[in-house]
Amino acid sequence: MNDKPLAERLAELRQWLARERPQIAQAYDRMVEHLVRSGAGAGALRAGDAMPAFGLTAADGRFITSAELLSTGPLVLSFYRGAWCSYCQTELTALRDAHDAILALGGRVAVVSGEIGGRGVAVARQHDLPFDVLSDVDLGLALAFGLVISVPGEVREIYEHLGYDLARINGNPSWFLPIPATYVVARDGGIAAAFVEPDFRYRMDPTEILAALSRLKAATA
C-alpha cells in the first residue's frame, strides 16, 4: 500500500516524464490543449444527471449490470484509458488502497476500460484489485457518458513506438479512448459527484470519493 495521496503520486509521474521523456511530455501538453480547445468532455454526464443503465462483461467472465452494481449501495464508477497507461495504473492502485474505506461507507467500486482479450484479468492480478474490472467493448458505455475522444496523430505515433497498439488492445481500429472520469452514483442511479478531466494526468482523489459517499450516507441516515 502506498500512503501518498493520489495527487502527489500523479505529480511525481508528471515530473518524471517531463524530466526523462520531455518530447512525450510536450506531445501530451499539445494533446490536452487541443482537447480543451475542442471542448472534449463538455457534454459528459455530470452531477445531477442519471447514469444510463448498462451491462458489461467483467474480467472474470461474469456479465454485470448497473442494477447489480447498485443493488447494495452507491457505486464508484471509474473510466480509465488502459492498463498500459501509467497514470491509470496509479489511479487503480489508489482505488485499491482506498477500497476498505469505500466499503465502510457502503460503496462498491467498478472500473471500466475498452480493453479486450483478457487484459482486465491481467491488470486485476498485477495490482491485486479487489473490485470489478469491466470491459467496455467499442467504448459504448464511455460514449453514452460523453467521454470518447480520438487520439491525435502525434500521440498515436508515440504509442505505436512504445508498443501501445490501441487497435489491437481495444479490438477496434478507431484509436478512440475514454476521457478518464470517476462518478459516484447514488443507489437510485443519480450521479452524486463527477470528475471529468480531459487532461488524463489528473484524476479524482479518493478523499473526494469518500466525501461524496459520506454525504450520501448522511442523506439516507
Side-chain angles (χ1 to χ4, degrees):
M1 179 178 291
N2 189 331
D3 292 330
K4 290 182 180 178
L6 176 57
E8 185 175 341
R9 301 186 214 180
L10 293 172
E12 290 175 351
L13 264 180
R14 294 192 299 272
Q15 292 161 6
W16 178 88
L17 194 67
R19 183 178 64 251
E20 300 295 332
R21 296 184 173 181
Q23 291 182 325
I24 295 178
Q26 291 162 15
Y28 282 170
D29 287 340
R30 290 188 288 272
M31 175 182 177
V32 170
E33 289 170 5
H34 168 73
L35 291 174
V36 172
R37 285 196 308 270
S38 64
L45 296 183
R46 304 282 177 172
D49 292 329
M51 181 181 73
F54 64 86
L56 295 176
T57 302
D60 61 7
R62 291 176 298 132
F63 185 75
I64 298 180
T65 65
S66 51
E68 178 184 344
L69 291 170
L70 290 169
S71 63
T72 58
L75 171 66
V76 178
L77 184 68
S78 187
F79 291 84
Y80 69 101
R81 303 191 319 149
W84 49 270
C85 170
S86 298
Y87 298 96
C88 297
Q89 293 177 29
T90 302
E91 179 190 23
L92 292 174
T93 55
L95 285 171
R96 177 200 65 199
D97 296 344
H99 190 246
D100 287 347
I102 290 171
L103 289 180
L105 289 169
R108 178 172 179 174
V109 178
V111 297
V112 185
S113 82
E115 295 183 306
I116 64 169
R119 291 178 177 83
V121 173
V123 73
R125 289 176 177 170
Q126 179 182 356
H127 299 294
D128 195 24
L129 303 181
F131 40 74
D132 294 310
V133 179
L134 307 178
S135 178
D136 183 19
V137 178
D138 292 335
L139 297 180
L141 184 60
L143 185 63
F145 272 78
L147 300 173
V148 176
I149 61 159
S150 177
V151 178
E154 179 185 23
V155 174
R156 174 174 174 169
E157 290 179 5
I158 289 171
Y159 287 165
E160 289 178 328
H161 179 72
L162 294 172
Y164 306 153
D165 182 355
L166 299 189
R168 176 179 55 82
I169 290 171
N170 293 342
N172 188 306
S174 62
W175 277 77
F176 289 156
L177 284 175
I179 295 172
T182 300
Y183 292 90
V184 179
V185 185
R187 195 168 181 179
D188 65 1
I191 297 173
F195 182 93
V196 180
E197 174 54 71
D199 190 339
F200 58 88
R201 297 167 294 189
Y202 295 83
R203 308 296 168 98
M204 189 178 198
D205 196 89
T207 57
E208 299 174 51
I209 294 172
L210 296 174
L213 290 171
S214 294
R215 290 192 295 270
L216 286 174
K217 187 174 184 178
T220 57

